């Protein structure tokens, strides 16, 4: 079952008030409901829309240029936790990426909704975001996060039977893992032609030295440092270990 929608996703609740002045016909509204209920210079009362929809603080919410909202995108944002996106920053980042893609479809692809998108749209979006303007082009890491957000939306939409097929093209790619080479399936637009950003890796032995000296207050040879004036060294070291050994983000570790 393919779902179409006349609602174009162009607004997101969950950050401070923000408007896109360069495109006045497009509504880009980001705010916290408890702090900023002002509707702004829009052709509809955004505050009233959010009130009727039961928007709550800290939850991302997608509105359209006409003041309507996409119920299914709202569901997607609400269910991101159960689809592996648990941190607040990750949640907001994914929804912002979805919003920006929807705005591109609305402005540059004939008013399409995200439910009507295809691989040609994504290729055009890649050109705009990566190559049209060197001054404003995004980094490779930012582009890959956008692809991750869209892939998550595809995965969720197929599971919910809101899409009857994958709208984007996927390819098999060989990557190196701790268990050796492995074939994985990735979005065909995931890679970028630009040189990859340098990856900074700290060897595990260097991490242990940083942990022991910086957090536990030890000398490099393991003896207590008499000049160390820190507090809760063991607690801080255990917290750092929990992030390193599990791969949790900082925000996720704080709530555990």
């Amino acid at each position: 079952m393919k779902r179409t929608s006349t609602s174009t996703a162009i607004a997101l609740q969950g950050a401070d008030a923000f408007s896109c002045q360069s495109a006045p016909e497009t509504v880009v509204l980001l705010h916290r409901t408890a702090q900023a209920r002002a509707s702004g210079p829009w052709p509809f009362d955004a505050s009233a829309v959010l009130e009727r929809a039961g928007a709550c603080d800290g939850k991302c919410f997608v509105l359209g240029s006409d003041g309507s909202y996409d119920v299914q995108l709202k569901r997607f944002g609400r269910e991101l936790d159960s689809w592996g996106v648990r941190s607040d920053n990750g949640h907001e980042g994914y929804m912002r990426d979805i919003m920006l893609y929807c705005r591109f479809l609305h402005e540059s692809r004939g008013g399409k909704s995200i439910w009507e998108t295809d691989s040609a749209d994504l290729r055009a979006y890649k050109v705009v975001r990566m190559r049209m303007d060197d001054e404003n082009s995004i980094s490779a890491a930012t582009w890959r996060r956008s692809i991750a957000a869209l892939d998550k939306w595809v995965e969720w939409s197929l599971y919910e039977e809101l899409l009857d097929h994958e709208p984007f093209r996927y390819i098999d790619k060989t990557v190196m893992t701790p268990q050796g080479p492995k074939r994985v399936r990735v979005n065909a637009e995931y890679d970028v032609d630009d040189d990859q950003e340098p990856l900074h890796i700290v060897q595990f032995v260097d991490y242990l030295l940083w942990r022991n000296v910086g957090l536990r207050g030890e000398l490099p040879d393991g003896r207590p440092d008499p000049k160390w004036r820190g507090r809760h060294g063991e607690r801080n070291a255990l917290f750092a270990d929990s992030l390193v050994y599990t791969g949790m983000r900082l925000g996720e570790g704080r709530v555990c």
Side-chain angles (χ1 to χ4, degrees):
M1 175 179 67
K2 181 177 180 180
R3 179 187 178 279
T4 59
S5 170
T6 58
S7 170
T8 305
I10 355 203
L12 175 66
Q13 174 213 353
D16 292 335
F18 168 82
S19 62
C20 182
Q21 301 298 334
S22 62
E25 74 280 5
T26 298
V27 178
V28 182
L29 185 68
L30 310 179
H31 71 264
R32 299 185 189 280
T33 55
Q35 300 176 7
R37 290 286 186 170
S39 57
W42 320 120
F44 60 88
D45 187 347
S47 179
V49 173
L50 294 174
E51 288 282 2
R52 290 195 303 270
C56 57
D57 295 334
K59 298 298 182 182
C60 297
F61 203 87
V62 182
L63 295 182
S65 59
D66 58 355
S68 60
Y69 67 94
D70 192 311
V71 175
Q72 302 302 345
L73 282 183
K74 176 188 175 184
R75 284 184 57 210
F76 170 68
R78 190 175 64 239
E79 296 176 10
L80 273 173
D81 284 355
S82 60
W83 285 80
V85 184
R86 296 183 175 85
S87 72
D88 291 339
N89 288 339
H91 185 275
E92 184 173 332
Y94 270 44
M95 291 304 292
R96 185 184 295 271
D97 288 332
I98 294 292
M99 177 269 293
L100 289 173
Y101 185 64
C102 289
R103 188 174 72 184
F104 166 77
L105 293 175
H106 177 75
E107 293 180 341
S108 304
R109 305 297 285 183
K112 274 187 175 183
S113 79
I114 194 171
W115 306 100
E116 301 166 318
T117 190
D118 55 31
S119 291
D121 297 324
L122 188 58
R123 286 194 297 273
Y125 186 58
K126 184 177 184 179
V127 170
V128 170
R129 295 287 277 166
M130 299 293 299
R131 303 185 181 90
M132 288 295 287
D133 185 344
D134 290 339
E135 181 179 351
N136 297 316
S137 62
I138 61 174
S139 67
T142 300
W143 171 252
R144 291 181 179 122
R145 190 195 67 183
S146 297
I147 290 296
L150 289 170
D151 285 347
K152 187 70 68 176
W153 165 75
V154 170
E155 184 182 7
W156 178 85
S157 299
L158 289 171
Y159 178 82
E160 295 293 334
E161 298 183 347
L162 300 171
L163 294 174
D164 55 17
H165 66 280
E166 293 174 334
F168 309 131
R169 186 169 68 91
Y170 291 86
I171 58 176
D172 291 331
K173 181 180 179 180
T174 301
V175 299
M176 291 301 299
T177 71
Q179 292 75 38
K182 182 179 179 181
R183 297 287 286 178
V184 296
R185 194 163 176 267
V186 298
N187 194 306
E189 303 302 329
Y190 176 83
D191 285 324
V192 293
D193 296 332
D194 303 330
D195 292 335
Q196 292 192 5
E197 297 175 327
L199 181 63
H200 301 285
I201 299 177
V202 176
Q203 295 186 6
F204 187 64
V205 64
D206 294 328
Y207 161 73
L208 293 177
L209 180 62
W210 170 83
R211 182 199 65 185
N212 295 340
V213 173
L215 299 181
R216 284 180 170 166
E218 298 177 355
L219 294 171
D221 62 6
R223 292 180 295 114
D225 185 352
K227 296 181 180 180
W228 191 66
R229 295 295 181 266
R231 299 174 59 193
H232 311 300
E234 285 300 324
R235 183 201 65 181
N236 295 337
L238 286 172
F239 178 73
D241 281 347
S242 69
L243 301 182
V244 170
Y245 285 101
T246 65
M248 288 190 296
R249 296 181 176 90
L250 180 61
E252 296 168 337
R254 285 173 176 169
V255 299
C256 289

